Amino acid sequence: MMPRTLRTLALLLAVGLSAGACKKVIGDGCSASTDCSATGDRQCDLSQANGYCTLQNCDPNGCPDEALCIGFDAHAPRLERRFCMAACDVDDDCRTPEYRCVHPDGRACVNTANASGILPSGQSCNVLIDTVSRAAGYCAPAAP
């Protein structure tokens, strides 16, 4: 039989190891990329409210199950940036109140007044890159 202090130490070690094993998911808050992944496969986007765990330069259908690959500024292919974003159907699926569920619409990216398809200054075109949609939208910062 183990002495009481040895059992307590073993229990604390087991709890500490299991707590460290919890991997953050896409969309979780963070203050450094190591908060998102100890292996460096996820990044912390500190430009988002309370940080945002993500993967940059995602491929179609290349995000984890809880996320979608979104193309930002898709109206200009050379400027487009792709990120894995937390998938959602409604606002309550996101970290609230700082995030809301946005439903991208590729049709909004078409500008009939401009044959080149480039939207006027100040407009964005964010589109779902995945071909197999797992959710209707993605968690994005709520407007201030």
Side-chain angles (χ1 to χ4, degrees):
M1 186 157 190
M2 275 196 214
R4 184 192 254 327
T5 55
L6 190 54
R7 270 193 309 227
T8 303
L9 183 59
L11 178 62
L12 288 173
L13 181 61
V15 169
L17 289 174
S18 66
C22 294
K23 186 175 185 178
K24 294 225 179 193
V25 297
I26 301 297
D28 279 352
C30 54
S31 57
S33 290
T34 53
D35 292 342
C36 302
S37 169
T39 60
D41 63 337
R42 296 180 185 197
Q43 297 80 35
C44 179
D45 182 355
L46 292 172
S47 68
Q48 304 304 323
N50 297 315
Y52 195 103
C53 289
T54 188
L55 289 167
Q56 296 178 353
N57 303 319
C58 53
D59 291 320
N61 308 316
C63 294
D65 288 342
E66 77 273 7
L68 301 171
C69 185
I70 303 295
F72 292 89
D73 294 325
H75 62 277
R78 66 182 183 83
L79 300 176
E80 182 183 48
R81 298 162 294 135
R82 293 180 177 188
F83 293 93
C84 289
M85 303 294 288
C88 61
D89 290 307
V90 295
D91 287 346
D92 286 343
D93 293 338
C94 303
R95 288 189 289 146
T96 55
E98 60 262 306
Y99 291 89
R100 64 183 174 88
C101 190
V102 174
H103 302 268
D105 183 358
R107 292 171 298 175
C109 296
V110 178
N111 181 352
T112 56
N114 184 341
S116 70
I118 304 299
L119 298 174
S121 178
Q123 289 188 16
S124 63
C125 173
N126 304 333
V127 297
L128 176 65
I129 301 297
D130 290 342
T131 57
V132 179
S133 180
R134 295 181 285 266
Y138 64 96
C139 297

